[in-house]
Amino acid sequence: MARMGFIFLLMSNATSVSTQFNGFNCDANYHSRYPAERDISVYCGVQTITLKINFCPVLYSGYTAADLALNGHHSDAQCRGFINNNTFPTAVLFSISLSTLEACGNSLVVSTAYGTNAYGNMSLVQIGNVSGYIDTPDPPTIISYLPGLLYKFSCSYPLEYLVNNSQLASSSAAISVKDNNGTFVSTLSMILYNDSTYNQPLSIPMSGLALKTRVFAAVKATNLDKRWNILMDYCYTTPSGNPNDELRYDLFFGCYKDPQTTVFENGKSQMGRFSFEVFRFVKHRHQKMSTVFLHCVTKLCRADDCIMLVPICGRRRRRDGGQSPGSLPAASGNAIITAGPIITRSGMNTSAESKHSMNSMTTALITGVVILGVVSVGLFLLMLRLLQRSRLPAAASSGVWNPSFK
């Protein structure tokens, strides 16, 4: 029995030795080949995307782990993977955080599909598709005897996972207001519309809104009596649903106003209204679509006092003689409300638009050819008729009677 155990131990050691190659867990019987698509495993997590690549075929192809990098970023150490030699076979692991997924050139493309939204209802929802590749560097020579390795990957998420857990629907915010009768809570909301009548909610096509499309926004409040109005301190946009995103673009703030933004009503009623032309964020330059989220810092002010809070630009405000210098306008605290995402597309025509344009040109060309053909046939027949008329008098005058014919 002891001898059999010794033989088994020798066989185990032989097996472990045969599966080692240059210190890595690789079996020559299985891994002496070039890489294939099955060598990459993709795990689409809620917070990170994990990529696992079988390192043994990479080693067989003549490369090291340092030669693999995300999206060609070989000079950036943060875009390379790390060896895990505790598994069989040895693997190279890449970890992509959803909060910084574009750091190594990964692509985010937003599309719209019919599915379950954040509230469990069936509707059109935005899907964020994260994609990229892992490759090896090209040699600085004209030719190479090493194969170029390329591993592609992609993960699809509801857009809410990619915008710091912000919900897709227009958000609302509750704000506390002190009144003579106590404290009450009013709910603010922001809704987007297609037209200046504020009757038709904004409809975003599958391909996204064309750049410079005008969008109309309205901020409303519930549980509000006529003594209070809505005041929008300032409104701005971000590429994500996070109001604290470092990348932002102001639509209006104090006396500053974006040239394509128009404020229709602010501080004069229980609705704030403005419009702006949609754009794309330059950080989405490699994407077919861009996401724009709209944020407004809003408060409630007493109707008689709102005029004192609205900035007067270009002229001085006259002080009301009945107001004491030490009195302050009655207003609530600020609340940030968010709407979006607004999906915009690049200025290039979509395939459907291009196809429609080509069909229109083809139809016009065929119609022109048919009309030209009909006119040409008509002119030809007219010329034949005129030619026959011109020959008839000449033939009649040249006829001579031959007496030999009876």
Side-chain angles (χ1 to χ4, degrees), residues 17-281:
V17 172
S18 64
T19 57
Q20 289 286 320
F21 180 77
N22 288 350
F24 297 105
N25 299 327
C26 298
D27 190 341
N29 296 325
Y30 295 99
H31 304 131
S32 296
R33 59 173 177 81
Y34 290 129
E37 293 182 359
R38 66 179 184 272
D39 292 333
I40 183 172
S41 301
V42 182
Y43 304 92
C44 303
V46 177
Q47 297 179 345
T48 59
I49 297 174
T50 303
L51 309 175
K52 181 180 178 181
I53 295 179
N54 184 350
F55 179 61
C56 298
V58 176
L59 193 65
Y60 174 79
S61 300
Y63 292 101
T64 64
D67 293 324
L68 297 175
L70 286 165
N71 305 296
H73 290 234
H74 298 281
S75 59
D76 192 345
Q78 296 181 351
C79 300
R80 300 180 194 146
F82 60 92
I83 287 287
N84 182 9
N85 204 28
N86 295 325
T87 62
F88 182 85
T90 299
V92 182
L93 301 180
F94 291 82
S95 181
I96 303 172
S97 173
L98 295 186
S99 60
T100 58
L101 58 89
E102 296 176 334
C104 291
N106 300 301
S107 174
L108 170 62
V109 177
V110 178
S111 60
T112 305
Y114 193 77
T116 305
N117 61 15
Y119 302 101
N121 301 322
M122 294 298 292
S123 64
L124 288 176
V125 296
Q126 279 76 39
I127 302 297
N129 184 268
V130 182
S131 62
Y133 60 88
I134 298 172
D135 67 345
T136 51
D138 292 327
T141 57
I142 299 177
I143 66 171
S144 174
Y145 292 99
L146 298 180
L149 307 187
L150 179 65
Y151 303 89
K152 295 182 179 180
F153 66 91
S154 65
C155 288
S156 294
Y157 295 91
L159 194 61
E160 56 193 284
Y161 284 107
L162 306 179
V163 293
N164 293 340
N165 296 326
S166 295
Q167 293 180 345
L168 301 182
S170 298
S171 64
S172 59
I175 186 169
S176 297
V177 182
K178 291 184 178 181
D179 201 354
N180 295 333
N181 299 327
T183 302
F184 66 93
V185 177
S186 178
T187 302
L188 304 176
S189 61
M190 180 161 51
I191 304 176
L192 305 178
Y193 295 90
N194 278 332
D195 58 346
S196 58
T197 62
Y198 289 85
N199 291 325
Q200 184 180 4
L202 179 65
S203 177
I204 302 178
M206 298 285 288
S207 58
L209 293 175
L211 299 178
K212 298 186 70 64
T213 298
R214 185 159 289 277
V215 172
F216 298 83
V219 178
K220 300 179 181 180
T222 58
N223 191 30
L224 192 64
D225 61 44
K226 61 182 180 180
R227 292 173 296 174
W228 296 86
N229 288 348
I230 286 180
L231 178 66
M232 301 177 294
D233 269 0
Y234 57 95
C235 295
Y236 60 98
T237 59
T238 60
S240 72
N242 180 14
N244 299 319
D245 197 321
E246 295 181 357
L247 181 60
R248 56 183 286 173
Y249 181 76
D250 292 329
L251 297 181
F252 61 88
F253 177 73
C255 289
Y256 166 80
K257 184 172 67 64
D258 172 73
Q260 277 68 45
T261 300
T262 302
V263 180
F264 301 110
E265 191 173 7
N266 190 19
K268 297 180 180 180
S269 69
Q270 296 186 355
M271 179 185 295
R273 299 181 302 120
F274 66 96
S275 69
F276 65 100
E277 293 182 355
V278 298
F279 47 83
R280 67 178 181 88
F281 281 96

Side-chain angles (χ1 to χ4, degrees), residues 380-390:
F380 179 73
L381 294 176
L382 181 60
M383 291 177 61
L384 287 179
R385 188 176 182 84
L386 293 176
L387 184 60
Q388 289 176 354
R389 287 184 178 181
S390 63

Side-chain angles (χ1 to χ4, degrees), residues 281-292:
F281 281 96
V282 177
K283 69 172 292 185
H284 298 153
R285 59 185 176 274
H286 297 309
Q287 303 176 19
K288 296 180 180 180
M289 298 183 186
S290 178
T291 55
V292 178

